[in-house]
């Protein structure tokens, strides 16, 4: 039972977006850019976004050589080049929207560590550089290759040279502070007039002849009613890994990712974002007021089935494997402890391509950044907004 005031003003919108991760909030901003007068309401089930956007590694990246080669094998060269182009464009859009300072952007470049088994990838370096050249040409760095071999830095960075056999470098990758990025993006959305309600768990979405009706769990007063209906003309579902809860037929699965962060490390010898093994592992320096730390994540490929989960818990087996990789290969000569450990839930589609499309007269979906939402969400949000009538 809603009051007149709730009915008339608080539970109505022109556009409802479900999910306040980077995709939902970016979509909301784009809707306001396109339709400034539209009442835009974002419904988020967590007090904080509760999937991937505030639990990721903060790479402002577009894909390492081995990941791009794997994508080419899966989807062909044209589709892969288009995806890299979208990621690159999305990164520029995010930076322009909120500003580098607000998101803690630093450009130390990106690297890929190759172990013996990945060395054959170098044979395809020239081909991939040629395929991607035009995307980065506007950077006035036409002379620079997207990827180049920089083996001299393996020793300089202190890696175990018995394991790391080659190092690839890309000048175009950077890193962000994901918490500050989501805060800045949310503030921008609110400045533009978007309303964001947290603690709003959407239990079901009904498309009725004249409106969309979102049924939201009501925790405020359980004695009178346990749900509240929010209504709108149109709706965008941006719930990523959790989408099957609302739309069981959607083709996206949860993929949990594990992360650890060390204590500050004296004289950490490297800066930048580092990929390993088709992006299944990733590490970076993390600048904090107390000093430089290492953030390391990944290992999902050690337990694909267990990690097809939307439960935000740690997998001790994967965390142990990450610690071993750190101790034996990445930082064999450094002193540190593990200070933070967490997991986050990505949404993966079989073909690793994102999905933005209208699913009915009044509803669209926008999801499937497949582990690269920092880069992709701004352009996909813009695409989702363009579907609204
Ligand atoms: C460990 C890890 C490391 C990563 N590292 C990187 C990286 O370095 N660089 C990069 O680009 N990407 C990275 N990613 C991927 C990136 O974080 C995601 O691609 C991106 O955050 C997806 O954004 P999203 O908004 O689509 O999904 P989410 O951030 O998951 O947002 C979906 C939101 O919907 C909400 N929701 C779900 N169901 C409902 C409902 N029924 N009602 C209301 N709200 C609901 C959820 O609570 C959630 O907040 C990483 C992800 C993880 C997990």
């Amino acid at each position: 039972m809603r009051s007149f005031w709730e009915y008339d003003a608080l539970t109505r919108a022109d556009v409802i977006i479900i999910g306040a991760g980077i995709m939902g909030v970016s979509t909301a901003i784009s809707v306001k850019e396109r339709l400034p007068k539209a009442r835009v309401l974002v419904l988020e089930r967590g007090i904080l976004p509760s999937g991937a956007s505030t639990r990721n590694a903060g790479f402002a990246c577009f894909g390492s050589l081995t990941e791009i080669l794997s994508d080419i094998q899966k989807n062909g060269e044209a589709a892969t080049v288009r995806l890299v182009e979208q990621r690159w464009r999305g990164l520029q859009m995010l930076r322009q929207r909120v500003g580098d300072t607000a998101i803690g952007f630093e450009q130390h470049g990106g690297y890929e560590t190759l172990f013996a088994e990945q060395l054959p990838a170098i044979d395809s370096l020239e081909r991939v550089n040629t395929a991607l050249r035009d995307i980065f040409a506007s950077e006035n760095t036409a002379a620079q290759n997207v990827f180049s071999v920089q083996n001299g830095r393996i020793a300089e960075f202190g890696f175990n040279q018995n394991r790391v056999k080659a190092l690839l470098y890309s000048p175009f990758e950077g890193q962000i502070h994901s918490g500050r990025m989501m805060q800045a993006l949310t503030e921008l959305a609110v400045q533009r007039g978007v309303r964001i309600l947290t603690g709003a768990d959407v239990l079901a979405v009904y498309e009725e002849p004249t409106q969309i009706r979102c049924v939201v769990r009501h925790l405020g007063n359980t004695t009178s009613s346990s749900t509240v209906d929010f209504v709108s003309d149109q709706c965008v579902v941006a719930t990523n890994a959790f989408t099957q809860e609302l739309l069981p037929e959607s083709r996206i699965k949860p993929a949990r990712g594990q992360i650890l962060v060390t204590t500050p490390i004296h004289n950490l010898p490297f800066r930048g974002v580092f990929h390993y093994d088709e992006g299944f592992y990733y590490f970076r320096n993390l600048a904090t007021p107390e000093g430089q730390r290492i953030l390391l994540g990944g290992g999902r490929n050690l337990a694909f089935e267990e990690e097809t989960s939307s439960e935000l818990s740690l997998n001790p087996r994967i965390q142990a494997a990450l610690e071993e990789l750190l101790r034996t290969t990445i930082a064999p000569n450094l002193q540190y402890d593990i200070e933070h450990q967490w997991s986050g839930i990505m949404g993966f589609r079989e073909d690793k391509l994102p999905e933005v499309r209208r699913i009915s007269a009044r509803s669209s979906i926008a999801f499937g950044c497949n582990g690269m939402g920092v880069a992709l969400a701004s352009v996909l949000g813009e695409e989702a907004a363009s579907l609204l009538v």
Side-chain angles (χ1 to χ4, degrees), residues 18-24 43-45 49-53 55-59 200-202 238-240 242 246 257 259 282 344-346 369 371-375:
I18 308 175
I22 185 171
M23 180 74 89
L43 299 174
E44 164 58 48
R45 68 156 53 136
S50 303
S53 298
R55 311 183 70 81
N56 62 36
F59 281 38
D201 186 9
V202 179
T239 47
N240 204 34
F242 311 93
L246 291 174
I259 288 194
Y282 36 89
I345 314 295
M346 292 168 274
C369 291
M372 245 179 255
V374 172

Side-chain angles (χ1 to χ4, degrees), residues 235-252:
C235 166
V236 181
V237 180
T239 47
N240 204 34
F242 311 93
T243 305
Q244 285 189 342
E245 295 171 23
L246 291 174
L247 305 169
E249 71 287 358
S250 60
R251 290 172 300 161
I252 187 156

Side-chain angles (χ1 to χ4, degrees), residues 35-102:
L35 307 167
K37 294 208 173 109
R39 291 168 302 169
V40 180
L41 172 63
V42 182
L43 299 174
E44 164 58 48
R45 68 156 53 136
I47 292 171
L48 298 172
S50 303
S53 298
T54 55
R55 311 183 70 81
N56 62 36
F59 281 38
C61 61
F62 52 83
S64 64
L65 178 68
T66 59
E67 188 170 6
I68 288 171
L69 288 173
S70 156
D71 286 354
I72 289 176
Q73 209 165 17
K74 204 170 272 176
N75 298 316
E77 189 168 301
T80 303
V81 170
R82 184 176 126 75
L83 195 57
V84 172
E85 188 276 328
Q86 279 184 312
R87 290 170 181 160
W88 179 244
R89 197 155 41 87
L91 283 174
Q92 310 318 310
M93 199 171 156
L94 174 67
R95 291 174 60 190
Q96 276 158 17
R97 248 182 189 166
V98 279
D100 285 349
T101 309

Side-chain angles (χ1 to χ4, degrees), residues 55-315:
R55 311 183 70 81
N56 62 36
F59 281 38
C61 61
F62 52 83
S64 64
L65 178 68
T66 59
E67 188 170 6
I68 288 171
L69 288 173
S70 156
D71 286 354
I72 289 176
Q73 209 165 17
K74 204 170 272 176
N75 298 316
E77 189 168 301
T80 303
V81 170
R82 184 176 126 75
L83 195 57
V84 172
E85 188 276 328
Q86 279 184 312
R87 290 170 181 160
W88 179 244
R89 197 155 41 87
L91 283 174
Q92 310 318 310
M93 199 171 156
L94 174 67
R95 291 174 60 190
Q96 276 158 17
R97 248 182 189 166
V98 279
D100 285 349
T101 309
I103 63 176
F105 181 82
E106 289 178 28
Q107 190 142 27
H108 299 298
Y111 297 84
E112 177 164 22
T113 56
L114 300 182
F115 291 11
E117 54 275 30
Q118 287 103 29
L119 284 178
I122 294 181
D123 297 341
S124 306
L125 192 69
E126 203 44 54
R127 173 186 161 208
V128 172
N129 276 339
T130 305
L132 302 183
R133 185 156 293 139
D134 285 352
I135 298 173
F136 298 90
S138 62
E139 281 302 286
N140 203 17
T141 48
Q144 263 177 302
N145 278 324
V146 181
F147 299 113
S148 58
V149 177
Q150 294 219 346
N151 290 347
R153 288 189 165 174
I154 300 173
E156 182 190 325
F157 288 165
F159 299 150
N160 180 342
Q161 294 177 71
N162 292 323
R163 309 223 26 213
V164 180
K165 296 295 182 191
L167 193 63
L168 303 179
Y169 172 67
S170 173
F172 303 115
E173 292 198 330
Q175 51 189 275
I176 63 162
H177 184 304
S178 297
R180 283 201 228 138
M181 180 275 292
M182 277 311 295
Q183 192 175 357
L185 210 57
T186 303
E187 279 169 12
L188 178 66
V190 170
Q191 265 171 32
R192 299 253 169 106
V194 173
R195 204 152 66 93
I196 301 178
L197 291 186
T198 56
D201 186 9
V202 179
L203 301 176
V205 182
Y206 297 105
E207 183 143 349
E208 297 173 342
T210 58
Q211 64 183 18
I212 289 282
R213 184 162 58 88
C214 296
V215 181
V216 174
R217 193 194 307 274
H218 187 216
L219 298 174
N221 182 347
T222 48
T223 55
S224 60
S225 166
S226 60
T227 61
V228 176
D229 287 354
F230 286 79
V231 297
S232 62
D233 292 334
Q234 300 184 79
C235 166
V236 181
V237 180
T239 47
N240 204 34
F242 311 93
T243 305
Q244 285 189 342
E245 295 171 23
L246 291 174
L247 305 169
E249 71 287 358
S250 60
R251 290 172 300 161
I252 187 156
K253 285 202 172 134
R256 188 167 55 190
Q258 308 280 327
I259 288 194
L260 62 78
V261 167
T262 67
T263 48
I265 297 176
H266 184 59
N267 286 339
L268 182 70
F270 60 80
R271 300 285 182 275
V273 295
F274 293 77
H275 311 259
Y276 161 54
D277 193 7
E278 297 178 16
F280 279 118
Y281 297 85
Y282 36 89
F283 61 97
R284 57 173 275 191
N285 70 296
L286 175 59
T288 66
E290 306 81 35
Q292 293 286 343
R293 303 165 189 257
I294 299 175
L295 178 155
L296 165 65
R300 201 166 54 83
N301 54 341
L302 298 174
F304 271 128
E305 237 167 81
E306 284 166 66
E307 296 308 289
T308 305
S309 166
S310 51
E311 198 183 303
L312 278 174
S313 55
L314 294 179
N315 183 329

